[in-house]
Amino acid sequence: MTIIESKITVNKPVAEVYEFLADLNNHQQLMPENIYNWSSTEDEAKFTIQNMAKLALKISSRKKNEEIVAIPSEEAPFALELKWSLSDKGDGKTVALHSISAELNMMMKMLASGPLQKLVDHQTATLKKVLEK
């Protein structure tokens, strides 16, 4: 299992960060420009990654103010899980850890690790920007 992570501190209370992330409609704001054909509800999102794949995700679990986990709702190019783990840092600040766990063979790991790392880094940086406006 390949695990790709990115962590950031957001100057917002954990409840506010959780409420934003718990609704997949908000995740479109976190996506890079190479994501298109986005459609979503609170619990599911479908989109296309340019030159790569179509993905359909659904929330598999939520732990209030702690964690949101999404998994594919349709067949994906490889098994994966996207997780946001939140921890209250006090002083109205939240640490957000975004991780993607993916079942990648050696070839896929070489091809996908870089783009997946860029994706999680982009999403955490954008989360901070969007919530701290």
Side-chain angles (χ1 to χ4, degrees):
M1 185 68 72
T2 301
I3 298 174
I4 296 159
E5 296 181 328
S6 183
K7 184 190 274 190
I8 199 152
T9 300
V10 181
N11 294 316
K12 290 289 179 185
V14 71
E16 196 173 322
V17 178
Y18 175 84
E19 287 304 317
F20 180 86
L21 291 171
D23 184 347
L24 284 181
N25 288 312
N26 294 328
H27 286 244
Q28 184 175 13
Q29 297 174 58
L30 305 179
M31 292 295 176
E33 291 178 8
N34 66 338
I35 302 290
Y36 59 98
N37 290 341
W38 180 275
S39 67
S40 60
T41 64
E42 187 176 341
D43 296 321
E44 292 193 41
K46 292 182 182 187
F47 54 92
T48 304
I49 305 169
Q50 188 177 353
N51 301 326
M52 282 183 70
K54 288 183 179 180
L55 269 183
L57 299 172
K58 66 179 178 186
I59 299 288
S60 65
S61 70
R62 288 184 178 96
K63 290 183 192 154
K64 188 157 181 70
N65 298 339
E66 287 180 31
E67 184 180 270
I68 297 118
V69 179
I71 58 171
S73 58
E74 296 175 3
E75 191 174 323
F78 45 83
L80 77 149
E81 175 187 84
L82 287 78
K83 183 188 295 183
W84 285 93
S85 301
L86 305 175
S87 54
D88 189 344
K89 203 173 173 197
D91 303 336
K93 294 181 180 170
T94 302
V95 175
L97 173 67
H98 184 28
S99 61
I100 297 177
S101 303
E103 198 66 56
L104 302 174
N105 63 32
M106 220 33 163
M107 187 68 176
M108 285 298 288
K109 190 171 183 173
M110 286 171 33
L111 290 171
S113 288
L116 288 173
Q117 186 65 58
K118 277 186 183 168
L119 175 65
V120 294
D121 290 344
H122 178 86
Q123 288 186 307
T124 53
T126 306
L127 176 70
K128 184 175 175 72
K129 274 189 223 161
V130 167
L131 291 180
E132 291 183 5
K133 274 190 216 170

